[in-house]
Amino acid sequence: MSKDCGNHGGGKEVVVRKLCAAIIAFIVIVLITIFLVWVILRPTKPRFVLQDATVYAFNLSQPNLLTSNFQVTIASRNPNSKIGIYYDRLHVYATYMNQQITLRTAIPPTYQGHKEVNVWSPFVYGTAVPIAPYNSVALGEEKDRGFVGLMIRADGTVRWKVRTLITGKYHIHVRCQAFINLGNKAAGVLVGDNAVKYTLANKCSVNV
């Protein structure tokens, strides 16, 4: 008569437990390493400047419809000396009093090296875009006074690169104030027959 010790399969369970413990330990080590690298290097978010805006069209018609066409020049600088930035997705558009007034224009994905500067000049435009009645009134009053205050925005995702290590994706939100003197074309430079280029050089707020 054989004796049953109740340990059948125990060896496999021990191996599985050891394997799971090793995997968990490896993951913890990797996470700690990433955290330490992040803390030591302290990546700084990129800096954006709205350099200029060229106005090709800006017409407010009834009932509360806006047709606009701009070309904006935005410069982005990576202030980090040891960290690169991947711009995986970035869309530029204009808003007025938090209402989007143009379509979104995509910036091609790009990599920004250490201390590098990228300059983009996308067109942002909208044809007969419905504007909220109260925004239409305010916009009409501003246009009559000459100065129009818009917000040029850029939203997207970025990744950080430290040597061979690349982080996951982070959302980036850029906000650039643009006060444009539409009432005085002499405040800008004529481009072609009707377009006027206005120098702005405004620093933008950046949230990552």
Side-chain angles (χ1 to χ4, degrees), residues 7 9 19-20 23 76-77 107-108 110 114 121 131 134 142-143 157 160 164 169 186 198 204:
N7 291 325
L19 181 60
C20 291
I23 294 174
S76 169
R77 179 177 182 270
I107 299 295
T110 186
H114 311 154
S121 297
I131 305 295
Y134 50 88
E142 285 192 13
K143 189 177 179 184
T157 56
W160 311 93
T164 58
K169 293 184 178 181
Y198 298 92
C204 309

Side-chain angles (χ1 to χ4, degrees), residues 12 45 92 122 175 200 205:
K12 291 183 179 179
K45 59 189 177 183
V92 180
R175 302 292 181 264
L200 302 173
S205 66

Side-chain angles (χ1 to χ4, degrees), residues 36-188:
L36 290 176
V37 169
W38 188 267
V39 170
I40 293 171
L41 295 176
R42 292 185 179 181
T44 302
K45 59 189 177 183
R47 296 168 184 168
F48 281 72
V49 174
L50 176 61
Q51 295 184 341
D52 56 60
T54 302
V55 181
Y56 290 87
F58 196 85
N59 302 311
L60 184 63
S61 60
Q62 296 300 324
N64 306 323
L65 299 177
L66 177 65
T67 295
S68 59
N69 187 359
F70 303 88
Q71 184 179 23
V72 296
T73 302
I74 300 174
S76 169
R77 179 177 182 270
N78 177 8
N80 299 286
S81 60
K82 297 180 180 179
I83 300 174
I85 303 174
Y86 283 101
Y87 293 92
D88 293 322
R89 180 176 59 84
L90 201 62
H91 290 93
V92 180
Y93 59 102
T95 64
Y96 178 77
M97 296 182 67
N98 293 320
Q99 181 178 2
Q100 184 173 333
I101 60 173
T102 70
L103 300 174
R104 294 172 178 253
T105 300
I107 299 295
T110 186
Y111 173 75
Q112 190 174 57
H114 311 154
K115 299 289 186 178
E116 282 188 356
V117 175
N118 290 79
V119 179
W120 301 295
S121 297
F123 281 89
V124 290
Y125 57 90
T127 302
V129 177
I131 305 295
Y134 50 88
N135 282 348
S136 180
V137 172
L139 185 58
E141 292 176 350
E142 285 192 13
K143 189 177 179 184
D144 290 340
R145 289 195 297 267
F147 277 92
V148 173
L150 304 177
M151 184 75 75
I152 304 300
R153 303 192 180 200
D155 295 331
T157 56
V158 296
R159 290 177 294 158
W160 311 93
K161 181 183 179 183
V162 184
R163 294 188 179 180
T164 58
L165 176 66
I166 300 176
T167 69
K169 293 184 178 181
Y170 290 81
H171 291 283
I172 183 171
H173 303 282
V174 182
R175 302 292 181 264
C176 309
Q177 287 280 357
F179 292 99
I180 303 175
N181 190 357
L182 295 177
N184 182 13
K185 291 186 177 182

